[in-house]
Amino acid sequence: MVLAEGVRKHFGSLEVLRGISLEVAPREVMVLLGPSGSGKSTFLRCVNHLESIDGGRLSVDGELVGYRQSGDTLYELKEREVARKRAEIGMVFQRFNLFPNMTALSNVTCAPIHVRGLKKDVAERRARELLDRVGLSDKADAYPSQLSGGQQQRVAIARALAMEPKLMLFDEATSALDPELVGEVLDVMKGLARDGMTMIVVTHEMGFAREVGDKVVFMDEGVVVEQGPPDQMFTNPQHTRTKAFLSKIL
């Protein structure tokens, strides 16, 4: 589903990604771990072309992300083409980014109506199903200011799912939440994994990584240091940098 081959990204003179090569199979949950500044979030943003890459290749479901190839040369797609492809990839951020002047229901129906062209009644029926799925069927008419942080994040997940994505990206989706609200968001993410959603998850929630991750990747200073199944990564990491990181957070 996702294939990264030697992906590089720099901001000015700072090289944030230094040749990232990763593969995510359909229905797989990949968890990205690493210290702040290791490149995890930047890589995630490259997957749906919120950031353009400066080297290598990145494809989702067999198609290049943000580019087309002619001969040996890659040409960046126009924003309209990028947006159409991006609609197939759901992303949930640290901050909920809900429209404050819209109800939960309207937040979820906005993109399907205006981007996919769904009729309002169809979009609303689907949105109510998704709000029920994330445990918020009784909050359809509530505004973001009337919801807790955990509830807002669950609306954000429902909003991403409303576009029927083939891939979901989570960028530290629980890090802005009070500790007692983290579990309700993780439960929704676990449900998506059980249903077979392909996911890349940047998180510091080690319990989630152990329980739900099919593959755990440790990044540091813009490179993949080590990767493997959760049991191996948490009980018998091979690299000294991985051992040092896990010893501090476990």
Side-chain angles (χ1 to χ4, degrees), residues 64-191:
L64 287 172
V65 175
Y67 298 88
R68 63 178 175 84
Q69 184 168 355
S70 179
D72 295 328
T73 306
L74 296 182
Y75 297 91
E76 191 165 9
L77 297 176
K78 294 180 179 179
E79 181 56 35
R80 180 176 295 181
E81 296 174 280
V82 172
R84 187 169 62 248
K85 295 295 183 183
R86 190 180 290 139
E88 301 176 342
I89 304 172
M91 187 163 184
V92 180
F93 301 86
Q94 287 178 298
R95 298 293 173 180
F96 324 123
N97 296 328
L98 299 179
F99 297 114
N101 61 329
M102 292 184 179
T103 64
L105 184 68
S106 295
N107 265 281
V108 178
T109 60
C110 184
I113 291 173
H114 296 289
V115 178
R116 289 196 179 259
L118 285 188
K119 293 182 178 179
K120 184 177 179 180
D121 61 333
V122 176
E124 287 191 353
R125 183 168 63 249
R126 172 67 172 154
R128 290 185 187 278
E129 292 172 355
L130 289 170
L131 288 172
D132 181 59
R133 182 177 182 178
V134 300
L136 292 173
S137 58
D138 60 333
K139 299 294 185 181
D141 297 322
Y143 289 87
S145 62
Q146 299 170 313
L147 301 173
S148 70
Q151 290 171 333
Q152 290 186 61
Q153 193 63 297
R154 284 185 280 157
V155 172
I157 293 173
R159 179 178 61 180
L161 294 174
M163 294 295 283
E164 300 183 353
K166 59 180 68 173
L167 169 69
M168 284 287 287
L169 310 175
F170 292 88
D171 188 9
E172 299 192 27
T174 60
S175 65
L177 300 177
D178 292 334
E180 65 269 23
L181 302 178
V182 168
E184 63 189 52
V185 174
L186 292 180
D187 285 343
V188 172
M189 294 168 65
K190 291 174 185 177

Side-chain angles (χ1 to χ4, degrees), residues 222-244:
V223 301
V224 173
V225 176
E226 186 173 352
Q227 61 179 298
D231 286 348
Q232 172 191 313
M233 290 291 288
F234 287 113
T235 62
N236 190 30
Q238 300 300 301
H239 200 286
T240 53
R241 289 157 78 188
T242 314
K243 292 176 183 178

Side-chain angles (χ1 to χ4, degrees), residues 11 16-17 66 106 123 127 143 176:
F11 297 103
V16 181
L17 300 179
S106 295
Y143 289 87

